[in-house]
Amino acid sequence: MNALQTSHSMHHHKTLAASQGAIPVALVTVSDSRTEATDANKQYLEAALAAAGHQLVAYRLIKDEPDQVVAVLDELAGSEARIILFNGGTGISRRDTTIDVLSAKLEKHLVGFGELFRMLSYEQIGSAAMFSRATAGAYRGKVIISTPGSPAAVKLAWEKLIAPELQHLAWEVAR
């Protein structure tokens, strides 16, 4: 397949994906210190989803405990959400277990998400971007995306990677 055919095919897929309308999205903030009132990521993503014509259908705030991550993943994988966004718990400290738990559960890994996120993050914060264990993949017919919990990281991931492909991701995983 040449570049023109690939471009046409991608455009066709995105056109089909756009016809599905609003995408139901679930959000999980993983934090040992935030409350719903102080969760700037929830506030930002809820507004960004609405502005893009999508719908936040579930929100959970959990501690970075493996059993809580598994429980909320399984709960939301059984919900109407087609995309589940996790933020937080992605670092390398002993408390950061979210990525380890999610990676073990993913049925398919979208390694390009983490690679692109780290590349874009490097442009903003330099070599500290290597500490990011952002990841994405598919689980039980849902797209799972996990980003660092800093508001700058959530905004970067949303604006540069998630928002432009949200409908396409939801369409691809369901077909």
Side-chain angles (χ1 to χ4, degrees):
M1 187 178 287
N2 66 37
L4 182 59
Q5 289 170 317
T6 301
S7 176
H8 175 72
S9 177
M10 184 64 63
H11 176 74
H12 180 67
H13 282 189
K14 285 191 171 194
T15 300
L16 291 171
S19 70
Q20 63 191 326
I23 304 299
V25 177
L27 172 61
V28 180
T29 294
V30 180
S31 175
D32 292 335
S33 60
R34 290 188 184 154
T35 66
E36 188 169 348
T38 63
D39 188 355
N41 293 334
K42 183 216 184 230
Q43 296 160 13
Y44 170 77
L45 287 170
E46 188 169 34
L49 284 163
H54 304 299
Q55 182 181 22
L56 182 63
V57 295
Y59 166 74
R60 303 290 184 273
L61 175 64
I62 63 171
K63 302 286 186 205
D64 196 349
E65 296 290 344
D67 61 330
Q68 289 187 35
V69 175
V70 168
V72 78
L73 175 64
D74 286 338
E75 172 201 351
L76 295 174
S79 76
E80 68 181 299
R82 296 183 51 207
I83 308 280
I84 304 171
L85 304 176
F86 282 79
N87 70 93
T90 64
I92 61 170
S93 78
R94 290 181 189 179
R95 289 287 306 143
D96 294 319
T97 62
T98 300
I99 291 294
D100 306 299
V101 172
L102 293 176
S103 292
K105 299 287 271 183
L106 293 177
E107 296 157 349
K108 293 187 179 190
H109 294 261
L110 297 173
V111 295
F113 177 83
E115 293 166 350
L116 287 170
F117 178 81
R118 282 181 287 281
M119 180 192 74
L120 293 167
S121 186
Y122 179 80
E123 293 171 0
Q124 289 186 348
I125 64 170
S127 60
M130 78 172 95
F131 296 129
S132 169
R133 297 192 304 148
T135 194
Y139 177 68
R140 292 177 38 194
K142 313 291 179 167
V143 174
I144 312 301
I145 300 173
S146 183
T147 67
S150 78
V154 168
K155 183 177 181 186
L156 175 69
W158 173 258
E159 291 179 359
K160 298 291 187 177
L161 299 172
I162 302 168
E165 296 297 332
L166 187 76
Q167 288 183 304
H168 192 193
L169 283 164
W171 179 75
E172 285 286 351
V173 79
R175 68 186 196 115

